[in-house]
Amino acid sequence: MQPFKIVTLFIIISCVVLHQTAVAQSSSDSIHSYWKASIDYLSNAVYNGRKDSAVLPYVTPGIGYYNKSGWYVSACAAYAAAVNANRIDYFSLDAGYNFSIQNFSGDVRANKTFYNTQSTAIKSDIKGGIGTDLSYDFNFLQAGVSADIIFDNKTDVAFNINITHAFSWGPANQQWSITPTLAANFSSLYFYEGYTNRRVGKAIKKINPNVVSVKAATIVPNPGITLLDYEASLPITYDAKKWGIAFTPTYAIPMNKIETTTTATFTLKNRSTHTTANNITPASEKNLSNAFYAEFTIYFKF
């Protein structure tokens, strides 16, 4: 079965589970609906173990509404806080449904993202997606799997498998938790074509100021589902009745270099055109290195 069909089937199964649990959850859930305002700091925009050659930190304010039945909507705007960036790098809109029944939990979600054309983020060609995740609590550990259909230059499919174990203490309205997590990320590679196109155009214009416009077409020769990285993280959270904090340090080990071939046609000020075809795989991809990054969030509920 093709990966796209597998992901679609997984999402459909999650929707069926969602439908079966919605009534039970809404009738037994004593949690009230609430709004949540947050501000988040991410030390570097790392995606599937990949990062741009320049560090790209984000400061991201956001707001969301979380209904006691499980569904939610949220929006955020990410400010690129790098020295030479200082711009709103993207806006994001999200909607979804969280559900749980006995030892199963998960969600079904949809996202729409609007990236700044100047963005250097690895994800900058992604326009949105739909996905789901499911996890099962074995008491001594929790095992999870997620699947996403990602809309970018072409449609990608992505999978994540993970194992976690949560250590929690404190009363329900003042609870601390530490959740060691190990994960592996798999994805098709079309997202990298769009990212490389952006880099090529900018590089040509920077090298040759006579260039008026650039059209780049990047191809990943083997774009199928690929293991992209392993990740180890240690989320630490404190959740009170009206506010909370979260800190997540992550160590990513990238796998399997993504080779790209780019054909670029550029127009000069004298209207002449030139075409080049080269392997312009970024140096950061040719020389993969492990990445450590961290995310800190503070939020308020009302």
Side-chain angles (χ1 to χ4, degrees), residues 10-75:
F10 189 51
I11 294 173
I12 291 173
I13 291 173
S14 296
C15 288
V16 172
V17 174
L18 182 158
H19 176 73
Q20 295 297 320
T21 62
V23 174
Q25 181 171 326
S26 61
S27 61
S28 61
D29 195 347
S30 60
I31 298 175
H32 297 292
S33 302
Y34 62 92
W35 288 85
K36 182 166 78 172
S38 64
I39 187 162
D40 176 278
Y41 175 76
L42 177 67
S43 64
N44 195 11
V46 179
Y47 179 60
N48 288 337
R50 270 69 184 171
K51 56 187 183 297
D52 191 67
S53 55
V55 175
L56 181 60
Y58 282 136
V59 176
T60 308
I63 190 166
Y65 175 73
Y66 298 82
N67 189 271
K68 64 180 181 179
S69 64
W71 65 265
Y72 63 89
V73 291
S74 64

Side-chain angles (χ1 to χ4, degrees), residues 126-144:
I126 293 177
K127 301 173 179 64
I130 57 174
T132 185
D133 63 66
L134 292 172
S135 65
Y136 186 83
D137 189 349
F138 292 94
N139 294 320
F140 61 95
L141 62 80
Q142 297 78 46

Side-chain angles (χ1 to χ4, degrees), residues 204-205 210-215 265-268:
I204 291 176
K205 287 184 178 181
N210 291 316
V211 172
V212 176
S213 63
V214 180
K215 291 183 178 180
T265 300
F266 51 97
T267 303
L268 302 179

Side-chain angles (χ1 to χ4, degrees), residues 105-298:
S105 63
D107 79 348
V108 177
R109 58 188 177 274
N111 164 267
K112 177 61 179 175
T113 307
F114 307 87
Y115 269 94
N116 190 309
T117 56
Q118 299 301 311
S119 177
T120 60
I122 300 293
K123 297 174 62 176
S124 57
D125 196 53
I126 293 177
K127 301 173 179 64
I130 57 174
T132 185
D133 63 66
L134 292 172
S135 65
Y136 186 83
D137 189 349
F138 292 94
N139 294 320
F140 61 95
L141 62 80
Q142 297 78 46
V145 60
S146 69
D148 290 89
I149 298 172
I150 301 169
F151 306 120
D152 42 43
N153 180 43
K154 299 173 185 176
T155 300
D156 274 313
V157 293
F159 299 93
N160 168 284
I161 56 175
N162 61 81
I163 55 173
T164 68
H165 182 75
F167 300 90
S168 303
W169 66 94
N173 60 350
Q174 292 181 328
Q175 190 166 80
W176 285 91
S177 68
I178 298 178
T179 311
T181 302
L182 297 175
N185 291 303
F186 303 79
S187 178
S188 53
L189 307 176
Y190 295 119
F191 72 91
Y192 205 75
E193 294 182 350
Y195 162 72
T196 306
N197 280 345
R198 289 172 179 257
R199 295 186 82 262
V200 169
K202 292 175 183 177
I204 291 176
K205 287 184 178 181
K206 185 175 181 180
I207 294 171
N208 189 342
N210 291 316
V211 172
V212 176
S213 63
V214 180
K215 291 183 178 180
T218 298
I219 295 176
V220 175
N222 300 296
I225 300 293
T226 303
L227 169 63
L228 291 181
D229 80 326
Y230 296 108
E231 295 182 1
S233 61
L234 189 66
I236 303 170
T237 64
Y238 172 74
D239 187 50
K241 185 176 181 180
K242 294 294 185 180
W243 70 285
I245 56 174
F247 175 68
T248 305
T250 301
Y251 189 72
I253 304 173
M255 305 295 292
N256 299 316
K257 298 176 184 178
I258 306 173
E259 294 288 337
T260 56
T261 300
T262 301
T263 300
T265 300
F266 51 97
T267 303
L268 302 179
K269 291 180 179 179
N270 62 9
R271 298 302 177 186
S272 63
T273 61
H274 300 268
T275 300
T276 61
N278 298 289
N279 182 328
I280 313 184
T281 303
S284 58
E285 188 65 27
K286 291 180 179 178
N287 303 287
L288 290 174
S289 61
N290 301 344
F292 175 81
Y293 60 99
E295 187 171 15
F296 177 79
T297 306
I298 182 168

